[in-house]
Amino acid sequence: MSFRFLPDQPAAAVRMPTGQTVLLDPLHRPSGSCIEVLEGIARVYCPCEETEGMTLAFLQPGDQLRTDRLCSEGVCVEALTPLCFRSDGEAGSGDGFDPVNEWTLQLLRIRHLGSAEQRLHALFGLLVRRLGRRCGPWCDLPFRLTHERIGELIGTTRVTTTRLISRIRQAELMEAPSGQAGMRVAPSLVESAPLAAA
């Protein structure tokens, strides 16, 4: 796993290109500090050896990641789209809402659905509802995840994930146009997803 360390000095704007990852080390962050996403979408994951690469959350503009609530080994933040965040923020009250805890809960709920097909369906529904937008006859998701990463999120192998995604594409419920960073999902797939009311 390749990443760079977030500089110790807080900054009003840290920019990262798509695919770049930084490690947030809680030992070098002031107590009560946080990062706040200003632009783009990020994936937050665990760098621990036992759970290397396990996705904890996705963040979008306005979301905060409190650095005092991380495990002792910290967390990694990966830019899924061009990303800009501030590392000099102070954690707001948020009325008790923590986007990382909320995402972790939703991803855990998906992992407990009965079949891999249900889990994949629920994952696409969740990602589009939270991070996508409706554009005409499609819902656009501004990034792509590898089949291996989707497999990690739904608790299955890359091969099974590829087979399930192929079925969705053949049913014309998803498109991943070449040359574009994102993908399109049919609204009917999102609306019929398990756990859609969550």
Side-chain angles (χ1 to χ4, degrees):
M1 180 177 353
S2 174
F3 54 80
R4 65 182 178 111
F5 288 91
L6 184 66
D8 293 342
Q9 294 299 332
V14 176
R15 295 199 175 273
M16 294 171 43
T18 300
Q20 189 173 59
T21 300
V22 294
L23 173 68
L24 301 179
D25 185 347
L27 300 176
H28 295 102
R29 312 299 310 162
S31 179
S33 70
C34 71
I35 69 163
E36 181 177 347
V37 176
L38 301 173
E39 299 170 19
I41 296 176
R43 179 175 77 98
V44 179
Y45 66 92
C46 185
C48 304
E49 188 175 326
E50 301 80 16
T51 57
E52 185 176 332
M54 181 180 71
T55 303
L56 302 172
F58 296 89
L59 301 177
Q60 60 188 331
D63 286 345
Q64 292 185 334
L65 171 62
R66 293 185 55 138
T67 58
D68 59 352
R69 292 186 179 170
L70 308 178
C71 81
S72 60
E73 293 188 40
V75 295
C76 288
V77 176
E78 174 190 11
L80 295 179
T81 65
L83 184 67
C84 179
F85 64 87
R86 59 184 299 166
S87 64
D88 63 352
E90 289 188 21
S93 67
D95 298 325
F97 178 78
D98 183 331
V100 174
N101 288 346
E102 176 62 20
W103 270 104
T104 303
L105 172 64
Q106 295 306 325
L107 293 173
L108 184 61
R109 291 180 73 212
I110 287 171
R111 287 290 293 264
H112 280 80
L113 289 170
S115 71
E117 189 171 10
Q118 286 178 314
R119 294 192 298 270
L120 180 64
H121 191 176
L123 177 66
F124 280 136
L126 178 65
L127 291 173
V128 171
R129 282 192 316 277
R130 294 278 183 92
L131 305 171
R133 62 189 175 103
R134 178 75 183 256
C135 291
W138 292 98
C139 295
D140 286 348
L141 197 58
F143 60 89
R144 294 185 195 187
L145 296 172
T146 65
H147 290 189
E148 183 177 20
R149 178 64 52 222
I150 292 170
E152 174 257 316
L153 287 163
I154 66 172
T156 190
T157 65
R158 183 197 55 75
V159 172
T160 299
T161 299
T162 298
R163 182 174 40 81
L164 293 172
I165 289 174
S166 292
R167 282 190 205 157
I168 293 172
R169 283 185 176 171
Q170 288 171 355
E172 298 181 353
L173 296 172
M174 184 176 69
E175 289 183 356
S178 61
Q180 293 185 18
M183 55 190 279
R184 297 180 185 138
V185 179
S188 60
L189 188 73
V190 176
E191 292 158 5
S192 64
L195 307 175

